[in-house]
């Protein structure tokens, strides 16, 4: 069941998006995030949907694989949606006992749910098409100006890439531990919430032990190879802009402009 | 009473770029009371195969029958199957979690629904039978050496008294003495109780010494299936798939090459010794 987790994972394929410089993708993702909040009516979202569809097509990552990541947050989406639906004041549309649905509430609920879904799919396209290494490199360069105000950019980027790298390892580990405990008759599925929480102990203890062990092994291995932070460090594959990277920047800016026009005109 | 696999196939990560066929149309019949060794090079599907036998993995295709019942039937009790088909995994770190070794070994029996007294008794018996030092019963399982952890993990499964015992490389990381102890113990237990034992191993010597049937896995398929003599009689084929025959068998082959009249099907040191002694007797 834990194998479903695809957040932050890379999906190998040969596509234009995979080839794109990570800095372009980071910039694109930032613009996309802003654009989700610029769009606030049906036309804006229609445009967003079409553009997202095009990008998904370009990425060559199966759509089914992408939405797997959504499964985990369905409950969260529903709860947030329901709260928005019933708790927002405004003109009453329907009355269900003590609960009222207002026009503003309905609009907010729909908008917010749509935004969350767009947010997750959009950002997962970036991580699915970019290896953690590229992502860190891109982030490190893009955030480099912040070192002037003493932000440890290299360290942050490194932590992020380690975290991303560890997700699949821990997922695999969880799977193995679950199997080992199920082989001894452990039951992770049935029972009420208390029983389920208790059943987690035989899973979580070995998982934490192994995570700490791996972390200290990694720290030791880095030290043994004289790792001392980002200063003076060179790259084996430095990032270089190609022609199509530049064209991609133009497309991204155009996209934002169109969306602003839609918002202003309609 | 037996375990039957009927054209079982298994794929990891179906429908993604990472799809791997780990089992391809595997059919096997495992009779009660056999001591079986499974060999095959890294990634040939051994671990995947054994995880099907207690229903931890569900075959993508094919069926599995335990004592005549289809384990994929809707109302088949998989939890019960897992207590009858006990499995010791490759890494003991994956199962030790309690505050003391003793409590950890009681985990399985307690899941079987036994009361505390019975579980304590089972844990005590199991720990004793794997030769776990008594002074460490109340130690945290995380503060043990690798070999002790492994014993604790094996005890944790033995305490459930499974009818079929599966061990995935139980001797990896043990010193030669520890290895012989663990395997000797499993073999003794097999002789005493007559239960089925399945041993996954990378050591041709271990397999030759203890088992009475060898299943060779290669590239997700069963490549050979027979007695140690039959399997190790095909040295060329085994070498082709990255395996080997026991050192003793190589020695016998070399002696034969040099014109000595020995039986090349000797697979254990004992048999090799007898062959050489026979020669001496002949020459003297
Ligand atoms: N959890 C998993 N997800 C994806 N693929 C896997 C997984 N586990 C195993 N595989 C793949 O399935 C194939 C068979 O693996 P398996 O673990 O059964 O091999 P094995 O014979 O036990 O090897 P070893 O001797 O190294 O333990 C390999 O190609 C492996 O890469
Ligand atoms: Mg294995």
């Amino acid at each position: 069941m834990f194998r479903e987790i695809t957040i932050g994972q890379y999906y190998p394929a040969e596509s234009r998006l995979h080839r794109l410089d990570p800095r372009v993708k980071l910039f694109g993702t930032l613009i996309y995030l802003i654009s989700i909040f610029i769009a606030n009516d049906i036309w804006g979202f229609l445009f967003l949907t079409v553009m997202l569809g095009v990008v998904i097509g370009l990425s060559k990552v199966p759509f089914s694989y992408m939405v797997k990541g959504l499964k985990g947050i369905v409950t969260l989406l529903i709860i947030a949606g329901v709260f928005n639906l019933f708790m927002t004041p405004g003109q009453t549309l329907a009355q269900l006992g003590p609960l009222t649905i207002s026009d503003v509430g309905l609009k907010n609920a729909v908008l917010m749910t749509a935004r969350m879904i767009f947010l997750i799919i959009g950002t997962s396209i970036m991580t699915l098409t970019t290896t953690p290494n590229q992502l860190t490199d891109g982030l490190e360069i893009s955030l480099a100006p912040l070192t002037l105000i003493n932000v440890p950019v290299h360290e942050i980027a490194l932590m992020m890439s380690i975290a991303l790298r560890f997700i699949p390892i821990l997922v695999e580990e969880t799977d193995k531990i679950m199997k080992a405990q199920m082989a001894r008759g452990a039951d992770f599925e049935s029972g009420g919430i208390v029983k389920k929480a208790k059943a987690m102990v035989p899973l979580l203890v070995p998982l934490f032990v192994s995570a700490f062990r791996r972390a200290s092994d990694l720290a030791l291995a880095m030290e043994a190879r004289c790792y001392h932070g980002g200063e003076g460090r060179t790259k084996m594959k430095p990032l270089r802009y190609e022609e199509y990277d530049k064209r991609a920047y133009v497309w991204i800016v155009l996209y934002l402009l169109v969306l602003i026009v839609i918002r202003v005109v309609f | 009473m037996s375990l039957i696999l009927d054209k079982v196939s298994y794929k990891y990560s179906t429908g993604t770029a990472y799809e791997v066929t780990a089992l391809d149309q595997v059919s096997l019949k495992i009779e009660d009371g056999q001591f079986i060794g499974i060999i095959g090079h890294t990634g040939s599907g051994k671990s995947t195969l054994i995880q099907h036998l207690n229903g931890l993995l569900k075959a993508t295709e094919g069926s599995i029958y335990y004592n005549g019942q289809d384990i994929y039937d809707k109302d088949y009790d998989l939890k019960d199957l897992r207590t009858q088909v006990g499995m010791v995994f490759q890494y003991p770190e994956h199962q030790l979690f309690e505050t003391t070794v003793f409590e950890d070994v009681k985990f399985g029996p307690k899941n079987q629904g036994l009361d505390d007294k019975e579980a304590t008794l089972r844990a005590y018996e199991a720990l004793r039978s794997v030769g776990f030092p008594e002074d460490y019963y109340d130690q945290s399982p995380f503060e043990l050496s690798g070999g002790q952890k492994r014993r604790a993990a094996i005890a944790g499964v033995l305490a459930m008294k499974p009818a079929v015992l599966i061990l995935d490389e139980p001797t990896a990381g043990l010193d030669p003495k520890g290895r012989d102890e663990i395997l000797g113990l499993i073999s003794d237990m097999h002789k005493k109780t007559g239960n089925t034992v399945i041993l996954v191993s990378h050591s041709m010597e271990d397999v030759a010494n203890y088992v009475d049937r060898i299943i060779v896995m290669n590239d997700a398929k069963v490549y050979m299936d027979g007695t140690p003599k039959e399997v190790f009689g095909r040295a060329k084929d085994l070498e082709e798939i990255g395996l080997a025959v026991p050192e003793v068998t190589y020695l016998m082959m070399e002696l034969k090459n040099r014109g000595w009249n020995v039986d090349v099907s000797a697979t254990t040191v004992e048999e090799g010794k007898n062959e050489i002694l026979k020669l001496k007797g002949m020459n003297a």
Side-chain angles (χ1 to χ4, degrees):
Chain A
M1 66 202 232
F2 284 94
R3 304 213 147 259
E4 306 280 286
I5 299 173
T6 54
I7 293 171
Q9 294 312 296
Y10 178 66
Y11 186 97
E14 287 280 325
S15 83
R16 287 181 213 213
L17 274 196
H18 283 77
R19 260 191 316 158
L20 214 54
D21 190 289
R23 288 168 290 182
V24 183
K25 283 188 262 193
L26 280 167
F27 177 73
T29 308
L30 182 70
I31 296 298
Y32 173 77
L33 291 185
I34 296 171
S35 74
I36 291 177
F37 291 92
I38 292 178
N40 69 343
D41 58 8
I42 182 81
W43 300 112
F45 273 97
L46 217 56
F47 179 65
L48 262 178
T49 312
V50 171
M51 292 317 273
L52 194 63
V54 170
V55 172
I56 289 173
L58 283 177
S59 77
K60 293 197 180 153
V61 179
F63 185 63
S64 60
Y65 190 80
M66 234 174 250
V67 290
K68 260 201 206 164
L70 276 177
K71 271 192 201 149
I73 58 143
V74 167
T75 359
L76 187 74
L77 277 181
I78 292 174
I79 292 174
V82 167
F83 266 93
N84 263 297
L85 193 59
F86 292 117
M87 307 301 252
T88 324
Q91 196 124 51
T92 304
L93 286 182
Q95 185 96 30
L96 292 165
L99 302 168
T100 50
I101 299 176
S102 69
D103 57 345
V104 189
L106 184 63
K107 193 182 171 202
N108 278 359
V110 172
L111 257 184
M112 203 221 45
T113 314
R115 279 185 178 144
M116 292 273 273
I117 293 173
F118 273 92
L119 193 115
I120 288 162
I121 294 185
T123 45
S124 66
I125 292 177
M126 179 182 70
T127 49
L128 283 168
T129 59
T130 320
T131 63
N133 270 342
Q134 278 186 322
L135 201 62
T136 334
D137 282 358
L139 206 68
E140 200 177 336
I141 297 178
S142 306
L143 297 182
L146 292 180
T147 43
L148 291 178
I149 52 165
N150 286 330
V151 177
V153 171
H154 173 79
E155 280 70 20
I156 291 173
L158 181 78
M159 279 196 278
M160 200 192 74
S161 76
I162 292 177
L164 280 178
R165 184 64 196 86
F166 263 56
I167 292 176
I169 294 178
L170 290 181
V171 168
E172 204 183 308
E173 197 97 342
T174 310
D175 195 62
K176 284 189 175 143
I177 295 169
M178 273 179 92
K179 279 183 185 161
Q181 303 300 27
M182 276 157 78
R184 293 203 288 165
D187 184 354
F188 294 105
E189 268 122 38
S190 61
I193 200 155
V194 177
K195 191 168 169 244
K196 267 192 184 160
K198 266 195 187 153
M200 284 312 221
V201 175
L203 172 63
L204 291 181
V205 174
L207 188 64
F208 273 97
V209 171
S210 118
F212 281 116
R213 199 193 59 237
R214 277 178 194 281
S216 81
D217 284 355
L218 179 67
L220 207 65
M222 283 166 76
E223 234 165 275
R225 280 180 262 176
C226 304
Y227 178 80
H228 63 96
E231 216 172 307
R233 205 175 158 79
T234 54
K235 300 272 178 217
M236 190 162 98
K237 293 179 189 159
L239 294 177
R240 230 175 259 118
Y241 282 125
E242 301 287 340
E243 199 53 44
Y244 57 81
D245 291 320
K246 291 172 192 155
R247 279 203 302 271
Y249 272 123
V250 177
W251 282 110
I252 293 168
V253 174
L254 267 178
Y255 159 80
L256 187 66
L257 289 179
V258 172
L259 206 71
I260 292 173
V261 169
I262 290 178
R263 164 119 188 203
V264 173
V265 174
F266 290 95
Chain B
M1 301 275 268
S2 59
L3 259 166
I4 296 172
L5 278 75
D6 185 24
K7 298 206 183 82
V8 170
S9 297
Y10 187 79
K11 290 194 178 90
Y12 282 106
S13 327
T14 27
T16 72
Y18 301 107
E19 186 173 300
V20 190
T21 304
L23 287 183
D24 189 5
Q25 303 271 328
V26 171
S27 295
L28 282 174
K29 182 161 189 203
I30 294 167
E31 302 281 4
D32 260 8
Q34 286 187 325
F35 196 149
I36 298 176
I38 300 183
I39 57 176
H41 68 87
T42 272
S44 54
K46 304 182 294 293
S47 298
T48 310
L49 172 67
I50 57 171
Q51 285 174 38
H52 278 83
L53 302 181
N54 66 350
L56 281 176
L57 290 178
K58 187 170 186 311
T60 331
E61 257 177 71
S63 0
I64 298 176
Y65 302 91
Y66 180 65
N67 293 342
Q69 277 178 299
D70 186 343
I71 69 164
Y72 297 140
D73 257 356
K74 260 209 208 70
D75 40 81
Y76 191 85
D77 186 0
L78 278 178
K79 208 178 146 189
D80 183 54
L81 173 71
R82 284 176 198 141
T83 66
Q84 292 187 48
V85 181
M87 172 122 84
V88 181
F89 280 82
Q90 226 161 334
Y91 302 99
E93 286 81 5
H94 287 153
Q95 69 174 64
L96 301 172
F97 74 99
E98 272 286 3
T99 46
T100 70
V101 172
F102 201 77
E103 283 301 315
D104 203 277
V105 176
K106 275 164 73 179
F107 181 66
K110 279 205 283 205
N111 282 332
Q112 279 177 301
L114 299 176
D115 60 27
D116 197 63
K117 211 170 129 211
E118 185 77 2
T120 306
L121 194 69
R122 291 276 192 96
Y124 189 70
E125 269 176 23
L127 280 168
R128 274 203 27 167
S129 71
V130 296
F132 191 86
E134 211 153 322
D135 303 349
Y136 295 138
Y137 282 9
D138 290 323
Q139 189 106 349
S140 155
F142 302 107
E143 289 163 3
L144 301 174
S145 76
Q148 289 165 345
K149 275 187 192 153
R150 201 169 279 279
R151 277 167 211 255
I154 295 176
V157 173
L158 286 182
M160 298 166 65
K161 298 216 162 139
V164 179
L165 180 65
I166 306 174
L167 302 120
D168 198 347
E169 291 180 48
T171 55
L174 288 187
D175 56 24
K177 186 163 163 277
R179 189 192 64 203
D180 290 344
E181 273 175 26
I182 294 270
L183 290 177
L185 165 141
I186 291 162
S187 171
D188 287 347
M189 211 152 20
H190 167 71
K191 283 191 195 116
K192 215 163 61 198
T193 60
N195 53 7
T196 313
V197 179
I198 300 173
L199 172 75
V200 175
S201 177
H202 279 291
S203 161
M204 303 303 143
E205 276 74 21
D206 288 353
V207 172
N209 278 335
Y210 294 101
V211 311
D212 38 54
R213 172 180 172 194
I214 297 178
I215 295 168
V216 184
M217 293 294 296
N218 182 45
D219 207 6
K221 292 192 182 71
V222 174
Y223 183 71
M224 285 184 215
D225 184 355
T227 64
K229 292 226 183 304
E230 284 164 10
V231 169
F232 289 136
R234 294 169 61 185
K236 281 255 152 47
D237 294 332
L238 285 175
E239 277 165 15
E240 215 151 86
I241 60 165
L243 297 174
V245 299
E247 295 291 341
V248 173
T249 313
Y250 281 121
L251 177 65
M252 293 299 129
M253 283 156 65
E254 184 63 29
L255 285 174
K256 183 112 187 169
N257 261 346
R258 300 198 182 180
W260 298 93
N261 182 23
V262 290
D263 180 6
V264 291
S265 76
T267 53
T268 66
V269 176
E270 194 58 34
E271 289 169 356
K273 186 182 91 185
N274 287 341
E275 285 299 315
I276 293 172
L277 283 182
K278 254 198 301 191
L279 280 185
K280 274 194 83 174
M282 244 163 52
N283 289 347

